[in-house]
């Protein structure tokens, strides 16, 4: 039997599993955390994820000298700051010089 955490994505019909060895040190049940999708277990219909800090940190998109808005790709992980809250959503600043 696999040992680890069941992960809730907040989406009906979608589940995840975080193996014990892939959890961040000191992780607690109910804690909100960053993680990466490692693979899909098609037999179980479950996403297997990892939350080890070194893997999450390595996955974050870093600022490059020639980075532009057009360089963004679906699935990129960015660190962003909320600069304004609007009735229609949020204004974010990310990669130092980009926002929207």
């Amino acid at each position: 039997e696999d040992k680890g955490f069941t992960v809730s994505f907040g989406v009906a019909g979608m589940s995840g599993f975080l193996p014990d060895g892939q959890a961040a040190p000191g992780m607690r049940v109910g804690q909100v955390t960053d993680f990466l999708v490692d693979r899909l277990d098609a037999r179980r219909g479950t996403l297997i994820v990892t939350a080890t800090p070194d893997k999450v940190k390595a996955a974050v998109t870093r600022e490059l000298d020639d980075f532009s808005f057009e360089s963004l790709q679906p699935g990129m992980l960015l660190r962003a700051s909320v600069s304004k809250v609007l009735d229609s959503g949020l204004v974010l600043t990310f990669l130092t010089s980009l926002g929207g």
Side-chain angles (χ1 to χ4, degrees):
E1 182 175 306
D2 294 333
K3 300 211 186 268
F5 297 88
T6 300
V7 178
S8 171
F9 299 110
V11 178
M14 183 180 285
S15 66
F17 181 72
L18 177 64
D20 269 342
Q22 298 297 311
M27 187 174 282
R28 301 177 320 276
V29 172
Q31 175 181 341
V32 175
T33 189
D34 293 328
F35 60 86
L36 302 173
V37 175
D38 186 44
R39 67 185 182 283
L40 169 66
D41 183 339
R43 185 175 57 85
R44 294 181 183 166
T46 302
L47 293 173
I48 309 301
V49 299
T50 181
T52 54
D54 56 333
K55 289 183 180 180
V56 172
K57 185 178 178 181
V60 175
T61 302
R62 290 172 187 71
E63 177 115 20
L64 303 171
D65 292 334
D66 60 347
F67 204 90
S68 67
F69 194 78
E70 290 77 24
S71 302
L72 295 175
Q73 297 292 315
M76 284 182 153
L77 179 61
L78 305 170
R79 295 218 184 274
S81 298
V82 175
S83 44
K84 189 181 267 188
V85 178
L86 307 172
D87 290 337
S88 59
L90 303 173
V91 175
L92 302 176
T93 303
F94 53 97
L95 294 174
T96 309
S97 59
L98 300 178

